[in-house]
Amino acid sequence: MGYNLTTMITIKFSSEEKSLEVKEGTLPLDLIENFSGDRERIMAVKVNNLITSLTKPLRINCTVEAVYSTSNDGAEVYRRSLCFMMAAAASKLFPTARLLIAHSLGYGYYYTVEKSTPITKDEIAALKAEMDSLVRQDLPITRELVSYTEAIELFEKEGLKESRKQLEYNCPAKIVINSLKDFSDLDFGPLVDRTGKLQVFELTPYDEGLLLRFPFPKEVDKVPEFKDSPKIFEIFKKYKEWGRKLGITSTASINELVAKRKINDFIDITETFQNHTFADVASMIYERGNVKVVLIAGPSSSGKTTSAKKMALQLQALGYNPKVISLDCYYVGRDRNPKDENGNYDYECLEALDIDLLNQNLIDLFAGKDVAIPSYNFDLGQRYYTGEKMHLDENDILIMEGIHGLNDKLTPLIKPEFKFKIYLSALTQLNLDDHNRISTSDNRLIRRIVRDSRFRGKSAAETIGMWDSVQRGERKHIFPFQNNADAVLNTALDYELPVLKVYVEPLLRMVKPTQTEYSTASRLLDFLSYFSPVPEDYIPKQSIVREFIGGSSFHY
């Protein structure tokens, strides 16, 4: 009498309200017919809320949900897969060169090619043609487990120096490798199962390199019009050059500093460099001579509060007496505050602020009058006055920090020469390796998770859950105005993720597989696993990092 040793598992399809019994080890790819949407747009699946490749075998009872290219998660898989396909194409065309991803720009990624001569338009066209060929061939993108030794041999053979260096400081016995034809690279997240799904992209020359551009999630059949951000690009370029001079360009570089007990020196160098950039901007304000108000804006967790205080110190060193006006004081009140599409008060729209009162107060201050500046009670949703008044003397200068600072509709009655606008963002120049970047959005999200937990009592799941809404507000109210800035300040510190890792990992581990935020929490945990931890006691008391972990000498 024989025995059936085949193990069966139950697969539930969350959106289809049905379930199947299948053999353990079945691929999600084999279950595609059970999804009712456009199957060609399925980039991956969520298995118990964890985003998973279509070619990763299913081993346990689970709920499976399709991840379409029209979703933010699907768009991320699409972009990562495009980068992988481009690396494969470049390895064939330029076998002795290094294709290096740099940063995001204009809904695309900026790349450089490290070789004896600068990349030409013809070479970029040839790279595009090779990628188009890979798409037409509809080739499989495979994933497999290899041993540590095999991975080292593979990366040395392919000249992937940063991937090889990473394995000096992150040394698992088994390593996931993605492959396309004879090209392989480290797995940093799920990819599509075949190249035929990667039809929509553009390659265009830009500066000394090229841009790989891709579609919006909501318009997956076309690449959007390019909107340049030259000031942001120049800051990225400046920091990339700085990183190259120091030899610190990747997570492995940071881990090497930790291993050699040199991270403390690097922290001091990084903080000094950033303070110099603040001093340079303060000098720009001084040289203008007639600036009366400094407007500071930036996306969530870009370090606006600490940056305003650091800028105040730099201005004091030049003889100014900075005074601060909080834009929060100018909310119109709940009786006049607009609501969003969900019926909630929209505190991020410009109409939530009393623009008329703000501008009249500024005009009166600049005219030498005493002005009663309002305060705002968030519990009651009402404005009130304390009786205190503000007056500007000859050497006084205002600092105003808020999301609308770069929008001239905030201060339409103030002469342009009286205003100096500063844009902040956390623009990390580090990469995971040659072909995988560190997202500035992820950097800010990790900052916010830590801050929200330590100072606002929020769980990681709560912060992750509101992040999409936060980013929608940034795209609407902040990013369109970043080119209006007189100066851009980079608030990222290349050592900060190893510090934040210590605080955020326990918070991310508490996000449950039953929560929709689990996929983001797991992705961030995987990402942070490539960093060696750094203790917070190395961090200066006036560092921007202190805004998120605590222990700052500034009062908030």
Side-chain angles (χ1 to χ4, degrees):
M1 182 177 179
Y3 294 92
N4 183 5
L5 299 179
T6 301
T7 302
M8 303 297 288
I9 58 174
T10 301
I11 307 297
K12 294 181 180 179
F13 298 89
S14 59
S15 59
E16 312 300 327
E17 297 184 353
K18 65 179 179 181
S19 61
L20 289 177
E21 295 286 321
V22 301
K23 293 180 181 179
E24 179 189 344
T26 295
L27 302 181
L29 189 60
D30 297 329
L31 304 174
I32 288 290
E33 68 220 29
N34 293 281
F35 297 105
S36 57
D38 185 345
R39 294 160 190 166
E40 283 300 304
R41 298 199 190 280
I42 297 178
M43 302 291 105
V45 290
K46 281 188 178 180
V47 178
N48 292 339
N49 281 320
L50 180 64
I51 297 179
T52 304
S53 167
L54 289 168
T55 57
K56 184 177 181 180
L58 302 170
R59 299 295 184 188
I60 59 173
N61 297 335
C62 55
T63 298
V64 177
E65 178 184 350
V67 176
Y68 295 94
S69 58
T70 50
S71 69
N72 289 336
D73 289 333
E76 185 177 332
V77 174
Y78 188 93
R79 294 192 295 266
R80 189 185 304 117
S81 302
L82 265 182
C83 292
F84 177 77
M85 184 174 72
M86 181 172 170
S91 71
K92 177 181 177 181
L93 292 184
F94 317 119
T96 61
R98 287 178 70 192
L99 177 72
L100 302 173
I101 193 169
H103 50 77
S104 61
L105 183 72
Y107 219 74
Y109 296 148
Y110 176 67
Y111 281 82
T112 57
V113 179
E114 195 176 89
K115 60 189 186 73
S116 57
T117 57
I119 191 166
T120 65
K121 289 184 178 180
D122 288 343
E123 288 174 324
I124 293 172
L127 183 58
K128 173 70 163 61
E130 177 63 23
M131 293 175 69
D132 287 336
S133 174
L134 291 173
V135 171
R136 286 194 301 272
Q137 294 176 66
D138 198 17
L139 299 170
I141 297 175
T142 61
R143 65 186 305 278
E144 62 177 321
L145 278 172
V146 301
S147 71
Y148 178 81
T149 303
E150 288 175 307
I152 287 177
E153 292 174 352
L154 176 64
F155 297 147
E156 288 180 348
K157 176 185 175 184
E158 295 190 356
L160 298 174
K161 297 178 181 179
E162 290 298 332
S163 300
R164 169 64 183 91
K165 189 176 180 181
Q166 187 65 254
L167 296 182
E168 289 295 313
Y169 307 103
N170 188 8
C171 314
K174 297 180 289 185
I175 296 169
V176 180
I177 298 296
N178 292 312
S179 298
L180 172 56
K181 298 180 72 173
D182 55 356
F183 174 80
S184 299
D185 206 350
L186 268 176
D187 176 86
F188 284 104
L191 304 179
V192 299
D193 56 299
R194 52 191 176 84
T195 57
K197 291 183 175 179
L198 305 174
Q199 297 183 19
V200 184
F201 66 93
E202 283 183 1
L203 285 188
T204 57
Y206 189 92
D207 197 64
E208 298 172 351
L210 66 153
L211 286 173
L212 169 62
R213 304 193 61 243
F214 29 74
F216 287 131
K218 303 303 181 184
E219 297 180 272
V220 295
D221 294 322
K222 66 177 183 178
V223 175
E225 179 185 353
F226 177 59
K227 294 182 179 180
D228 201 359
S229 299
K231 293 179 181 178
I232 300 297
F233 178 79
E234 287 303 318
I235 289 294
F236 263 128
K237 190 174 181 178
K238 174 182 176 181
Y239 272 79
K240 280 288 183 184
E241 182 59 29
W242 177 77
R244 279 194 292 269
K245 287 179 179 179
L246 293 180
I248 308 298
T249 59
S250 69
T251 57
S253 305
I254 296 291
N255 294 339
E256 184 177 22
L257 292 174
V258 176
K260 293 182 176 180
R261 299 188 296 280
K262 294 181 178 180
I263 190 65
N264 206 5
D265 292 337
F266 181 68
I267 289 172
D268 290 340
I269 293 168
T270 305
E271 291 284 349
T272 301
F273 183 70
Q274 187 177 80
N275 286 336
H276 275 308
T277 65
F278 275 75
D280 289 342
V281 173
S283 295
M284 292 170 63
I285 295 169
Y286 180 82
E287 289 165 6
R288 280 260 297 264
N290 56 356
V291 175
K292 297 182 181 298
V293 58
V294 178
L295 297 151
I296 300 177
S300 175
S301 300
S302 57
K304 293 186 289 295
T305 305
T306 303
S307 295
K309 293 180 180 296
K310 290 171 81 74
M311 184 53 62
L313 287 178
Q314 296 291 345
L315 290 171
Q316 282 180 293
L318 295 175
Y320 288 103
N321 178 33
K323 294 185 177 180
V324 177
I325 291 182
S326 172
L327 285 177
D328 289 356
C329 297
Y330 286 89
Y331 280 122
V332 294
R334 286 185 195 149
D335 57 332
R336 294 168 55 197
N337 204 106
K339 294 184 178 181
D340 61 20
E341 64 274 11
N342 298 317
N344 301 316
Y345 290 108
D346 185 355
Y347 291 109
E348 293 188 343
C349 68
L350 188 65
E351 293 75 18
L353 299 174
D354 192 332
I355 303 299
D356 293 338
L357 177 62
L358 171 63
N359 280 261
Q360 189 58 54
N361 283 175
L362 292 177
I363 289 171
D364 291 343
L365 283 169
F366 299 158
K369 298 179 181 180
D370 291 342
V371 174
I373 303 298
S375 297
Y376 190 78
N377 186 313
F378 280 90
D379 292 331
L380 298 176
Q382 295 176 354
R383 183 187 303 156
Y384 68 97
Y385 289 86
T386 64
E388 295 184 10
K389 293 190 175 182
M390 179 180 287
H391 179 86
L392 294 185
D393 293 321
E394 183 179 355
N395 291 333
D396 291 347
I397 188 170
L398 287 177
I399 295 179
M400 293 174 55
E401 168 258 303
I403 65 172
H404 297 290
L406 304 185
N407 186 348
D408 284 325
K409 291 182 179 179
L410 177 72
T411 52
L413 302 184
I414 308 305
K415 294 179 180 179
E417 59 265 29
F418 288 173
K419 298 183 283 190
F420 192 96
K421 292 174 283 189
I422 301 173
Y423 177 72
L424 307 178
S425 196
L427 309 172
T428 180
Q429 63 93 16
L430 292 176
N431 288 337
L432 289 167
D433 64 6
D434 286 356
H435 307 139
N436 293 276
R437 58 186 282 274
I438 292 175
S439 163
T440 58
S441 175
D442 282 351
N443 197 114
R444 292 189 294 109
L445 174 56
I446 289 168
R447 282 179 169 187
R448 180 146 180 175
I449 291 170
V450 173
R451 186 190 65 189
D452 283 359
S453 172
R454 293 182 67 78
F455 303 115
R456 300 176 182 178
K458 287 187 176 181
S459 68
E462 289 177 297
T463 301
I464 292 170
M466 64 183 290
W467 192 241
D468 279 349
S469 175
V470 169
Q471 290 188 295
R472 282 196 299 273
E474 293 168 353
R475 288 191 292 269
K476 184 176 181 180
H477 301 301
I478 300 176
F479 297 150
F481 305 102
Q482 60 189 9
N483 285 329
N484 293 349
D486 296 296
V488 178
L489 280 171
N490 185 6
T491 66
L493 294 153
D494 286 346
Y495 70 80
E496 71 176 86
L497 285 167
V499 176
L500 294 171
K501 168 190 175 91
V502 177
Y503 294 88
V504 79
E505 282 187 337
L507 304 173
L508 294 170
R509 290 194 187 101
M510 288 191 288
V511 181
K512 299 175 178 60
T514 53
Q515 296 175 286
T516 56
E517 296 81 12
Y518 184 72
S519 61
T520 297
S522 297
R523 179 176 59 78
L524 293 177
L525 281 169
D526 288 342
F527 160 61
L528 290 165
S529 71
Y530 291 97
F531 291 90
S532 301
V534 170
E536 62 89 18
D537 53 354
Y538 291 166
I539 312 305
K541 295 299 183 181
Q542 292 186 349
S543 172
I544 285 172
V545 177
R546 291 285 180 187
E547 182 175 328
F548 306 99
I549 66 174
S552 176
S553 61
F554 291 125
H555 297 289
Y556 296 106

